[in-house]
Amino acid sequence: RSCRTAGAEGVVDLDLYRDAPAPQLHVEFNREALARQGIPMDTAQKTLELALAGDIATTLWEGERGIPVRVRLPYANRMDESSIRDIAIPTASGGSVPLHAVGTVSVKIGNASIFRENNARYMAMKFNVEGRDIGSVVKDTLATFKKNVKIPEGYEAPKDLVAQPLIKGDGAKVKADDALVTNVMGVS
């Protein structure tokens, strides 16, 4: 996907702000296999959640300070795909089956973070300014964005697509030439 605001004079190093990708565990339960074993989906999900995220089992008191004690699989087992596949899922008959018998486990690469504002995902644009003042580059970039960027169906740009003034820690506004851009590419 190309970014059409690159034509604004003074904009350099234009890119979308992204976090580094991170491996994520994906488990997809097979509803038919669960039904054959008499295992409700809720039981399978809760068992997996308890094994990986744990639950507070008790509170350890040190003086007047309570410290919650979480019980879950050891770190090495939670990071090992084959150990996760072997997590015992309890059956209706009182036995158990390994997770891989009732679902698939895989590790996929996904976003380390998903950026949200006002209950909507957003993409942020970043760039450096060279040879011009920030205020005029921001003004030109916003105009270029509004004119040239076609927002795909199902997405929207914020109605208040404007440059916001930078406020110092003492509450004083920074001069207009040093405006800070917010929501330049607030696609949700």
Side-chain angles (χ1 to χ4, degrees):
R1 197 187 285 185
S2 67
C3 208
R4 297 171 192 244
T5 57
E9 184 184 337
V11 172
V12 295
D13 305 325
L14 177 66
D15 199 3
L16 290 175
Y17 180 79
R18 298 181 182 110
D19 263 349
Q24 298 175 354
L25 179 70
H26 287 262
V27 175
E28 188 172 331
F29 287 104
N30 179 325
R31 291 182 182 272
E32 290 175 6
L34 287 169
R36 279 193 302 273
Q37 298 290 339
I39 303 170
M41 176 64 84
D42 184 55
T43 299
Q45 290 175 325
K46 187 66 175 169
T47 302
L48 184 61
E49 177 185 352
L50 287 172
L52 299 177
D55 198 8
I56 305 300
T58 189
T59 302
L60 174 67
W61 289 92
E62 288 187 2
E64 293 184 17
R65 185 172 159 229
I67 302 168
V69 177
R70 181 174 296 274
V71 177
R72 61 183 175 190
L73 285 175
Y75 179 81
N77 295 95
R78 288 183 282 125
M79 296 297 117
D80 180 52
E81 193 175 335
S82 66
S83 293
I84 294 169
R85 290 178 201 277
D86 290 334
I87 291 173
I89 306 294
T91 64
S93 64
S96 66
V97 296
L99 174 59
H100 66 80
V102 292
T104 58
V105 178
S106 61
V107 175
K108 297 179 181 179
I109 301 300
N111 294 335
S113 300
I114 296 176
F115 303 102
R116 293 185 174 278
E117 188 173 289
N118 297 326
N119 282 335
R121 290 173 73 164
Y122 72 88
M123 296 168 43
M125 192 169 71
K126 64 180 180 177
F127 59 87
N128 288 316
V129 174
E130 211 171 76
R132 289 181 63 193
D133 65 281
I134 294 173
S136 62
V137 170
V138 168
K139 183 178 176 184
D140 290 352
T141 300
L142 290 171
T144 302
F145 177 85
K146 288 177 181 179
K147 179 180 175 186
N148 297 329
V149 176
K150 183 178 185 315
I151 306 296
E153 187 176 331
Y155 293 83
E156 63 181 26
K159 307 295 183 248
D160 60 344
L161 192 62
V162 296
Q164 303 288 328
L166 180 62
I167 308 295
K168 292 181 180 178
D170 61 6
K173 286 187 180 181
V174 176
K175 64 182 180 168
D177 286 347
D178 295 330
L180 175 71
V181 180
T182 61
N183 288 332
V184 171
M185 179 73 170
V187 179
S188 58

